[in-house]
Amino acid sequence: MHGWLIYDKASAEKNAWFIRRLIELAKENGLSLTLKTDEDFSRLPDFALVRVIRPDINAKLEMAGVRVFNNAKTARIACDKWQTYLACKDLGVPVLPTAKTYTQEIGLPCIVKTVDGHGGAEVFLAQTGAEVARLQGVYENTVVQKRGAVLGKDMRVYAIGGEIVAGVLRTSEKDFRSNFSLGGQVRLAQADELQKQIVKKLYENLAFDFVGVDFLPDGNGGWILNEIEDSAGARMLYATSDIDIAKLYIGYIKKQVCV
């Protein structure tokens, strides 16, 4: 069985170790995996791991009969923060009030973020309505979100095929964003029952293969879903544990495609 591992060129350079690890593990499991950074889809593979924020690629390959990890529905919702919000509202998953424009319910200060930002990029804390307007003038496709009860803290839960692998708690004393790529401190953590229930509900609706689900503390000991990462990075998991999530993912893929 031959598969593609799809990245854009910049992300491929940044994630070179993880890419090599996936390719090596695929070979050990009798699978052929080729890195692909262009859009020449003339000779299709048996399966594809799409690790770029391009839901159209997931959809195109899926329509051509390729087994895609993650499926097009997951990519469409997870790669767009507005679609994530709408989907969670429909599922009854707790989320922060979010809108395409500022509302009184959201209040000030508030968060302004692009719908397709990744790794904490293009996420801003706006103090005034004028600042919200300025940011929305600079960035085309944005959402405005109520500020969380606790800044500088969140938790990512990694899941493969509906099963939770691990959680990583992220904190920052210098930034309202706690992303590892922005200098946040990380430690391994166990998902609680609420997080497990939310991940289960998401899987039942999306049938995802490998995602990271990011939670914000609600200020009362609970959690609110913040984002779903379709191309979840794993650096902080390797930094905090001996869990080889690449090995787990390739093992899962083998079971999916070798039937």
Side-chain angles (χ1 to χ4, degrees):
M1 298 290 284
H2 176 64
W4 286 349
L5 178 57
I6 303 176
Y7 276 86
D8 60 50
K9 291 182 180 179
S11 295
E13 292 177 2
K14 182 179 179 182
N15 295 281
W17 180 87
F18 193 61
I19 289 168
R20 288 195 300 270
R21 184 65 177 150
L22 288 170
I23 291 173
E24 291 168 359
L25 288 165
K27 186 176 181 180
E28 290 177 12
N29 282 271
L31 303 173
S32 170
L33 194 59
T34 301
L35 175 63
K36 193 170 185 62
T37 58
D38 57 37
E39 294 188 42
D40 178 10
F41 295 164
S42 56
R43 300 180 66 180
L44 294 175
D46 300 302
F47 63 96
L49 285 66
V50 182
R51 301 282 299 171
V52 62
I53 303 174
R54 287 283 306 278
D56 60 305
I57 291 178
N58 300 64
K60 184 176 182 179
L61 290 171
E62 197 171 86
M63 290 182 67
V66 177
R67 173 62 167 93
V68 184
F69 301 80
N70 287 304
N71 61 56
K73 182 179 180 181
T74 296
R76 176 178 59 81
I77 291 174
C79 293
D80 185 315
K81 295 176 179 62
W82 179 240
Q83 293 301 320
T84 299
Y85 170 74
L86 295 177
C88 287
K89 289 287 285 183
D90 286 344
L91 292 172
V93 171
V95 284
L96 291 169
T98 303
K100 295 294 285 183
T101 58
Y102 175 75
T103 67
Q104 287 188 340
E105 180 190 11
I106 289 172
L108 290 168
C110 64
I111 305 297
V112 179
K113 57 176 73 172
T114 56
V115 299
D116 59 353
H118 187 67
E122 299 178 352
V123 179
F124 309 95
L125 181 62
Q127 300 292 339
T128 65
E131 192 172 0
V132 173
R134 180 185 66 79
L135 288 167
Q136 291 199 298
V138 173
Y139 298 94
E140 288 187 2
N141 199 356
T142 62
V143 291
V144 184
Q145 188 177 74
K146 185 178 179 67
R147 188 186 68 172
V150 180
L151 297 182
K153 181 179 180 179
D154 77 342
M155 181 169 165
R156 171 165 295 176
V157 174
Y158 291 93
I160 295 178
E163 297 294 326
I164 291 177
V165 176
V168 176
L169 188 69
R170 306 183 288 195
T171 57
S172 175
E173 297 179 358
K174 300 179 180 179
D175 198 318
F176 73 95
R177 300 164 297 180
S178 54
N179 301 74
F180 187 47
S181 59
L182 298 177
Q185 302 300 307
V186 295
R187 66 174 177 84
L188 201 66
Q190 293 291 326
D192 66 14
E193 286 305 313
L194 175 59
Q195 291 169 328
K196 291 176 182 178
Q197 291 171 14
I198 291 173
V199 170
K200 180 181 179 181
K201 186 173 288 188
L202 291 174
Y203 179 72
E204 289 171 348
N205 185 260
L206 300 178
F208 58 75
D209 297 300
F210 173 32
V211 298
V213 184
D214 294 347
F215 293 93
L216 297 172
D218 67 1
N220 296 307
W223 297 95
I224 296 173
L225 188 141
N226 186 33
E227 297 177 7
I228 306 169
E229 290 287 348
D230 170 58
S231 301
R235 287 185 187 84
M236 59 187 180
L237 188 56
Y238 284 103
T240 58
S241 75
D242 59 0
I243 297 170
D244 190 348
I245 200 163
K247 185 174 183 178
L248 297 175
Y249 192 25
I250 290 297
Y252 166 84
I253 290 168
K254 182 180 180 180
K255 290 179 181 179
Q256 294 292 309
V257 300
C258 296
V259 292

